[in-house]
Amino acid sequence: MQIYKVGGAVRDRLLGKPVTDIDWVVVGATTEEMLAKGFRPVGADFPVFLHPKSGEEYALARTERKSGRGYGGFTFHASPEVTLEEDLIRRDLTINAMAEDDQQNLTDPYHGQRDLEERILRHVSPAFAEDPLRVLRVARFAARYAELGFKVAPETLELMRQLSESGELEALTAERSWKEISRALMEDQPQVFIQVLRDCGALKVLMPEVDALFGVPQPEAHHPEIDSGIHTLSVLEQSALHKQPLTVRWACLLHDLGKGLTPEAEWPRHIAHEHKGLTLIKAVNERFKAPKDCQELALLVGQYHTHGHRALELKASTLLELLQSFDIYRRPQRFEEFIAACEMDARGRKGLEQRSYPQADYLRGAANVARSVAVQPLLEKGFKGPELGEALKRERLKALKAHKESAAF
């Protein structure tokens, strides 16, 4: 029995990056031997075990063969005869197909270390094209390592293109897709993930609503970058630069989908794109079964982001309706995330990345003013039921009018 550290732990050590998760491969062992040593079995598809003390995953060396569609369409074979090289060749990228023993002696049959040095994301073997999930994984790695200068190898991009055109991407489950998408959006350069998907034709399969934004112009006076797709990438980039949470990043990706529905005759204006885009945002949310908080914020940002930009001009009554839509009294964090998404949208414009966004403080102030209106004095005056609601609304409107008059912008 021989044990090797494999995959990301080896890759990240060689890159000088922190190693978080460690995967181990066991060569020359049987299930019975692992159980005898106290390892606990997990996973129904192939023999994976948890270490009795560390809890880390140890997998028996295995081969795999395509047996059906999609990510799960594989037959696995694990036995003591499977070599380390045979186990490594089934992996996605050469930089993930390296192993090292307990003395840090490197086993690198597919030249992963060379590709690390040359900053190339390259597939290990033609079997790469058998797993559609790898399209998303490679795009995610491109986003993760973009800051180091990594690029997808042309021949790998071509395989990704073939996968995108094969219909295999449609076989991916919503859960597997969302896991990769959500992880990719939280990388330092999530816009690279979307760009790579577009480069290989996967974006128009997975998110045709986002793909449709590219080539759609916007008014240059407000959007110097002009192209709606480029703007979306820039907004996503800003959301990462400002360390926004997943909810905000997801909303940033989807906020302008309605612009893809504007007839060419109306370009570059996009009248009512906020309302038109809601059906598309809902479709993307449901396609990937995004978490409820992500779904809700994306819809609210899609509908109201131009309200955010025009906050200083809004009437007190419109401002109150906006605040009520977000349920700021019970869910203050959601409105804060809306403000953040609006600011990312404003900064995601060529040459305007550093421009101040006074709307943010104005909206926060308005929310605080509305929340500060006390109910007790109205109850003491005898208001109750619907009358209490109307009285509370009048007091909040009065407070918001005062807030608007006092704002020094």
Side-chain angles (χ1 to χ4, degrees):
M1 180 189 296
Q2 296 170 295
I3 298 176
Y4 297 90
K5 189 182 295 182
V6 294
V10 180
R11 175 197 69 223
D12 287 343
R13 184 186 72 79
L14 292 173
L15 282 173
K17 285 185 161 288
V19 173
T20 51
D21 297 322
I22 300 179
D23 292 318
W24 304 89
V25 149
V26 183
V27 177
T30 64
T31 297
E32 292 72 25
E33 287 175 294
M34 299 296 285
L35 295 175
K37 290 181 178 293
F39 284 82
R40 303 190 307 277
V42 293
D45 295 330
F46 43 81
V48 179
F49 303 84
L50 298 181
H51 191 280
K53 293 182 179 178
S54 70
E56 292 175 332
E57 287 194 356
Y58 285 67
L60 295 187
R62 63 188 187 268
T63 59
E64 61 186 36
R65 181 173 54 82
K66 184 74 168 172
S67 58
R69 289 192 77 204
Y71 166 78
F74 289 91
T75 301
F76 297 96
H77 171 68
S79 78
E81 289 73 40
V82 177
T83 66
L84 179 60
E85 289 74 13
E86 287 174 325
D87 182 88
L88 293 175
I89 200 171
R90 67 180 177 77
R91 297 171 187 270
D92 50 7
L93 297 172
T94 60
I95 64 169
N96 296 330
M98 295 180 285
E100 60 184 26
D101 61 19
D102 56 2
Q103 302 298 312
Q104 290 192 343
N105 295 312
L106 192 68
T107 299
D108 180 20
Y110 309 109
H111 312 296
Q113 189 170 23
R114 180 193 65 195
D115 284 344
L116 274 184
E117 293 166 356
E118 296 180 1
R119 301 304 197 239
I120 293 174
L121 301 173
R122 192 194 316 274
H123 62 282
V124 178
S125 78
F128 174 94
E130 295 177 350
D131 184 354
L133 190 68
R134 288 175 170 176
V135 173
L136 290 164
R137 277 177 55 83
V138 173
R140 175 166 63 83
F141 280 120
R144 175 181 296 181
Y145 297 121
E147 63 175 350
L148 298 179
F150 275 83
K151 303 291 183 186
V152 181
E155 61 271 28
T156 302
L157 198 66
E158 178 56 33
L159 279 182
M160 292 165 68
R161 186 175 293 111
Q162 291 173 20
L163 263 172
S164 301
E165 294 171 353
S166 70
E168 281 272 327
L169 290 178
E170 288 93 326
L172 290 174
T173 65
E175 291 78 9
R176 292 298 308 182
S177 297
W178 177 254
K179 183 178 180 181
E180 290 297 327
I181 290 167
S182 58
R183 291 177 70 184
L185 291 180
M186 293 309 295
E187 299 289 1
D188 287 340
Q189 295 197 36
Q191 76 282 3
V192 173
F193 171 72
I194 300 299
Q195 184 63 60
V196 170
L197 290 183
R198 185 162 188 268
D199 290 344
C200 71
L203 190 62
K204 66 183 176 185
V205 177
L206 297 167
M207 299 185 199
E209 302 87 350
V210 176
D211 191 67
L213 295 174
F214 290 87
V216 174
Q218 305 164 103
E220 189 173 1
H222 301 296
H223 286 278
E225 72 286 349
I226 300 177
D227 189 290
S228 297
I230 299 300
H231 167 64
T232 296
L233 295 182
S234 298
V235 176
L236 200 51
E237 181 179 13
Q238 288 297 315
S239 74
L241 285 171
H242 290 269
K243 308 298 182 186
Q244 299 296 344
L246 177 62
T247 46
V248 173
R249 298 188 192 203
W250 182 242
C252 286
L253 177 62
L254 305 185
H255 78 285
D256 263 351
L257 292 188
K259 291 180 178 177
L261 296 176
T262 305
E264 286 189 36
E266 296 178 17
W267 289 354
R269 300 178 68 203
H270 298 279
I271 299 168
H273 76 276
E274 305 90 348
H275 178 72
K276 293 175 183 175
L278 295 181
T279 303
L280 301 183
I281 294 172
K282 187 176 182 181
V284 179
N285 276 335
E286 292 177 351
R287 185 178 310 137
F288 298 110
K289 296 183 180 177
K292 188 177 180 182
D293 56 348
C294 288
Q295 293 199 30
E296 291 177 348
L297 187 68
L299 285 164
L300 287 165
V301 170
Q303 185 171 359
Y304 293 114
H305 63 276
T306 48
H307 273 46
H309 301 327
R310 294 176 51 245
L312 309 180
E313 308 158 26
L314 297 179
K315 294 186 297 184
S317 58
T318 307
L319 189 54
L320 180 58
E321 288 173 10
L322 176 67
L323 299 176
Q324 305 278 50
S325 298
F326 281 84
D327 192 8
I328 62 162
Y329 315 105
R330 292 182 300 177
R331 302 190 56 184
Q333 183 59 32
R334 186 166 66 176
F335 191 62
E336 188 60 38
E337 291 178 352
F338 165 73
I339 294 171
C342 290
E343 184 168 356
M344 299 307 100
D345 184 25
R347 292 181 183 277
R349 297 179 294 164
K350 187 177 179 181
L352 304 176
E353 296 85 356
Q354 304 302 320
R355 179 177 284 192
S356 63
Y357 194 69
Q359 295 93 325
D361 284 339
Y362 180 76
L363 287 169
R364 288 190 189 100
N368 289 333
V369 162
R371 288 191 201 102
S372 68
V373 174
V375 179
Q376 191 60 35
L378 299 175
L379 290 171
E380 292 171 359
K381 289 180 180 179
F383 288 107
K384 56 186 178 181
E387 290 183 348
L388 176 62
E390 286 301 313
L392 196 55
K393 182 178 179 181
R394 285 195 300 271
E395 291 301 311
R396 286 169 174 163
L397 273 174
K398 190 187 302 181
L400 287 172
K401 286 176 182 175
H403 174 66
K404 184 174 177 63
E405 290 168 4
S406 65
F409 294 109

